[in-house]
Amino acid sequence: MRALRVRAPKSWAGDPNPEALAPRTRLTEHPGIWGFGTSTARNRFENRVAEKQKVFQADNDLPVHLKGGATDNILYRLTMGLCLGGTVYSLYCLGWASFPHNK
């Protein structure tokens, strides 16, 4: 019996032609694939870094976590309330677990 020899195509066997490995269709020809990175998406937002720098660098005796306005104040109070509530609840659970229970 003769052994079958399978030969790889020239592009696999080290063909020096780089176009032999190129895909038959180019990805740039499909607008659905590359449509997410168009320049119009970059131009939707304006640069407000200078405005934010003025707000946060102003000398108005406020801590930096409250200089953002009312939203920052509400988020700060909510966070502090949740932290305080969690601390009280964890101390309650520790106290409850530290004493024996009647069954």
Side-chain angles (χ1 to χ4, degrees):
M1 284 179 75
R2 293 179 62 185
L4 292 174
R5 281 183 78 184
V6 178
R7 295 199 302 175
K10 284 192 173 202
S11 61
W12 294 353
D15 187 12
N17 184 7
E19 292 180 5
L21 295 175
R24 290 200 166 86
T25 59
R26 295 181 185 264
L27 291 177
T28 56
E29 294 174 359
H30 302 286
I33 295 173
W34 295 104
F36 65 88
T38 60
S39 62
T40 57
R42 273 183 279 156
N43 296 334
R44 280 190 220 164
F45 303 104
E46 61 185 55
N47 189 2
R48 290 192 232 150
V49 174
E51 297 172 17
K52 295 291 185 182
Q53 283 178 339
K54 287 178 186 174
V55 169
F56 283 97
Q57 292 176 355
D59 189 19
N60 54 6
D61 295 331
L62 283 176
V64 72
H65 60 274
L66 295 178
K67 284 190 178 187
T71 305
D72 282 350
N73 198 0
I74 291 170
L75 287 174
Y76 172 74
R77 289 175 188 258
L78 179 68
T79 303
M80 287 299 118
L82 288 172
C83 288
L84 184 63
T87 302
V88 169
Y89 182 69
S90 65
L91 291 175
Y92 167 77
C93 288
L94 283 171
W96 179 80
S98 64
F99 294 106
H101 304 286
N102 295 333
K103 288 187 177 184

